[in-house]
């Protein structure tokens, strides 16, 4: 055992006992941290390592290359799982139905991905006789919470190791370790300027110059979305079809969710849509600035919300806004198996049953503006709404009566307070 491995007995019962780590399932991205980790675990624990890489639609990844790299670094097996469809159907779709934006701006792509990655890790650990799961999260972020809470829930027999929390290597030491052990650095030894995480629902950049709150977002962060000032001068519109709160078509063409999101991402990227500069309250207390690129979410979430508003009563709309926020917090904080999430989703499915129809969104130099909406279930009657019309279920002559009753309590309260204020002034 090395001095730098975690002290034992551990603080949490799920932390792996270093002496009984024999076969580790490592969540492997192919980047510097997890590549160094793959070697480090074999060296420090004398353990075998199986790697798992999860495809959640990260753009531009070469999965065969990542798997081959893991094998080169000594993995006894290197697994790649394409989980895009499950991610879209079981994680992103409920987020759309929950209009999920944490802190008013973050569509939760990373937060949605982690519980799925951790679930797949538990399954792969069991299938490959691993006793321990290792991940590359630091001790300062939310991702450790999401992964470890999920592993402890679904795989209570498994131990967890988080080498970045314990090995006390900075970037320079990691690079030195990589050089010493012949670990190839795909990106070269240039420090990637930012910490990046992505999947089909969005991309985040953190760290380095982004931490300077007084500085505008550096242009080089945005590798996905075109800067709005460089976007085409010509706007483009897209018509999104929904069925029971789920997006099902673009411009009349039926698409399954992964393809639909990919298509909207492309459109949004072209038109500079979905750049978010966000100060986030982390689960672990810190406030951190994140720069997000969320082209598909920036189009789909407002479109869904618009249709929901049109179909639901004002009572439902007000009630659901509170549930939406609660759902987003549960997802953000990594408590994916908290039963309240399922309880809330049961309501959301019910409230979304009639959320069907079409919404057109116009994309132009960074903005996504809704221009048309229609639903067979809209609580909207053009004849009643139209200016000047009276009759049927809406009589303008009935309004004064309504106004008198509607304002009754507020008017009485005003009178009472005015009288008390007068007494005070006199006395
Ligand atoms: N702040 C966001 C969140 O907590 C993004 C995290 C990105 N993760 C990363 N390892 N870079 O969900």
């Amino acid at each position: 055992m090395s001095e730098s491995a975690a002290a034992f007995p551990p603080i949490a019962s799920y932390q792996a006992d270093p002496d009984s780590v024999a076969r580790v399932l490592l969540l492997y991205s192919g980047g510097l941290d997890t590549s160094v980790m793959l070697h480090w675990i074999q060296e420090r624990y004398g353990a075998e390592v199986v790697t798992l890489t999860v495809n959640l639609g990260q753009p531009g990844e070469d999965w065969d290359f990542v798997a081959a790299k893991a094998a080169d670094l000594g993995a006894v097996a290197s697994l790649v799982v394409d989980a895009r469809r499950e991610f879209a159907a079981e994680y992103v779709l409920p987020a759309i139905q929950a209009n999920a934006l944490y802190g008013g701006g973050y569509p939760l792509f990373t937060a949605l991905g982690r519980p799925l990655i951790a679930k797949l890790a538990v399954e792969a650990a069991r299938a490959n006789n691993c006793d321990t799961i290792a991940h590359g999260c630091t001790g300062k972020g939310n991702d450790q919470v999401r992964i470890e809470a999920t592993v402890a829930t679904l795989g209570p027999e498994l131990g967890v190791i988080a080498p970045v929390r314990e090995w006390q290597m900075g970037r320079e030491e990691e690079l030195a370790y990589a050089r010493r052990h012949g670990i190839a650095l795909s990106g070269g030894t240039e420090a990637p300027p930012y910490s990046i995480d992505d999947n089909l629902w969005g991309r985040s950049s953190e760290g380095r110059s982004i931490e300077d709150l007084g500085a505008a977002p550096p242009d080089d962060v945005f590798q996905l979305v075109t800067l709005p000032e460089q976007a085409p001068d010509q706007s483009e519109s897209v018509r999104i079809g929904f069925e029971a709160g789920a997006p099902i078509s673009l411009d009349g063409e039926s698409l399954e969710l992964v393809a639909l999101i990919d298509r909207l991402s492309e459109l949004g990227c072209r038109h500079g849509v979905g750049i978010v500069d966000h100060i986030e309250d982390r689960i672990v207390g810190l406030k951190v600035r994140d720069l997000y690129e969320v082209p598909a979410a920036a189009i789909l979430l407002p479109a869904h919300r618009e249709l929901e508003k049109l179909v639901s009563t004002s009572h439902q709309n007000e009630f659901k806004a509170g549930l939406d926020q609660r759902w987003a917090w549960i997802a953000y904080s990594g408590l994916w198996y908290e039963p309240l999430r399922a309880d809330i989703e049961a309501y959301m499915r019910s409230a979304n049953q009639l959320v069907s129809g079409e919404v057109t969104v116009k994309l132009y130099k960074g903005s996504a503006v809704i221009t048309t909406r229609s639903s067979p279930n809209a609580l909207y009657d053009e004849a009643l709404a139209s200016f000047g019309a009276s009759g049927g279920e809406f009589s303008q002559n009935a309004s004064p009566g309504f106004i008198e009753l509607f304002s009754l309590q507020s008017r009485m309260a005003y009178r009472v307070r005015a009288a008390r204020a007068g007494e005070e002034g006199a006395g």
Side-chain angles (χ1 to χ4, degrees), residues 102 106 108-112 114 136-138 141-144 146 194-198 203-206 278 280-283 288-292 331-332:
Y102 175 69
Y106 170 38
L108 296 171
F109 51 90
T110 296
L112 297 170
R114 292 302 187 256
C137 308
T138 74
N142 296 321
D143 291 330
Q144 54 173 348
R146 299 164 180 151
Y194 312 108
S195 159
I196 291 161
D197 188 63
D198 56 4
R203 177 181 196 271
S204 76
S205 304
E206 299 174 343
H278 195 228
E280 205 158 282
D281 284 306
R282 281 197 182 163
I283 312 162
V288 174
R289 183 198 204 180
D290 272 271
L291 294 175
Y292 293 132
Y332 181 78

Side-chain angles (χ1 to χ4, degrees), residues 73-388:
L73 292 173
V76 295
S78 49
L79 319 169
V80 176
V81 174
D82 181 353
R84 285 176 296 171
R85 289 174 69 104
E86 182 176 3
F87 181 53
E90 307 293 329
Y91 297 77
V92 177
L93 182 57
I96 293 170
Q97 296 184 331
N99 303 309
L101 280 181
Y102 175 69
Y106 170 38
L108 296 171
F109 51 90
T110 296
L112 297 170
R114 292 302 187 256
L116 173 54
I117 290 171
K119 184 192 81 166
L120 294 170
V122 169
E123 287 169 7
R126 286 180 177 155
N128 290 275
N129 296 315
C130 298
D131 45 67
T132 303
I133 288 176
H135 62 73
C137 308
T138 74
K140 290 185 114 172
N142 296 321
D143 291 330
Q144 54 173 348
V145 181
R146 299 164 180 151
I147 288 181
E148 292 178 22
T150 303
V151 170
T153 303
L154 300 182
E157 80 282 13
L158 297 165
V160 173
I161 54 180
V164 178
R165 274 198 312 234
E166 24 174 297
W167 67 21
Q168 269 145 24
M169 282 193 272
R171 191 172 169 88
E172 282 317 308
E173 286 101 329
E174 273 189 63
L175 286 170
Y177 186 100
R179 269 183 236 111
R180 222 169 33 247
H181 298 282
I183 298 169
L185 302 163
S186 17
T189 52
E190 297 295 286
Y194 312 108
S195 159
I196 291 161
D197 188 63
D198 56 4
N199 60 44
L200 55 82
W201 196 228
R203 177 181 196 271
S204 76
S205 304
E206 299 174 343
R208 300 286 177 126
S209 55
I210 296 169
E211 287 164 2
D212 179 356
L213 303 189
D219 286 355
D220 68 351
V221 165
F222 305 110
Q223 301 293 322
L224 200 61
V225 175
T226 309
L227 292 174
E229 47 272 56
Q230 288 162 16
D233 291 331
Q234 200 60 45
S235 72
E236 199 170 346
S237 287
V238 60
R239 189 162 42 88
I240 306 168
F242 287 87
E243 179 77 50
I248 52 156
S249 67
L250 295 182
D251 294 326
E253 180 190 347
S254 297
L255 289 168
E256 57 97 29
L257 192 51
V258 173
L260 185 145
I261 290 171
D262 284 349
R263 186 87 65 88
L264 282 180
S265 283
E266 233 176 87
L267 270 175
C269 282
R270 187 173 332 137
H271 289 280
V273 168
I275 289 179
V276 179
D277 181 345
H278 195 228
I279 301 291
E280 205 158 282
D281 284 306
R282 281 197 182 163
I283 312 162
V284 294
L286 299 167
K287 282 193 196 290
V288 174
R289 183 198 204 180
D290 272 271
L291 294 175
Y292 293 132
E293 292 163 86
V294 289
I299 301 169
L300 264 182
L301 291 175
H304 171 266
R305 202 182 323 113
E306 182 75 3
L307 207 55
E308 199 177 66
K309 256 166 59 179
L310 194 62
V311 166
S312 307
T313 67
S314 60
H315 307 282
Q316 289 178 301
N317 283 328
E318 269 172 42
F319 181 66
K320 189 163 175 296
L323 291 188
D324 287 351
Q325 279 204 24
R326 186 52 85 93
W327 191 96
W329 164 247
I330 293 172
Y332 181 78
S333 66
L335 298 180
W336 191 253
Y337 292 91
E338 159 60 45
L340 181 57
R341 181 179 66 83
D343 296 347
I344 293 175
E345 284 176 17
Y347 173 78
M348 290 189 173
R349 268 192 300 278
S350 163
N352 268 270
Q353 239 157 27
L354 297 181
V355 180
S356 304
E358 291 190 328
V359 176
T360 307
V361 185
K362 183 166 95 178
L363 313 173
Y364 178 65
K365 288 191 181 292
S367 73
V369 175
I370 291 163
T371 53
T372 77
R373 65 289 273 161
S374 67
S375 169
N377 309 318
L379 304 182
Y380 179 77
D381 182 332
E382 199 169 340
L384 287 184
S386 112
F387 185 78

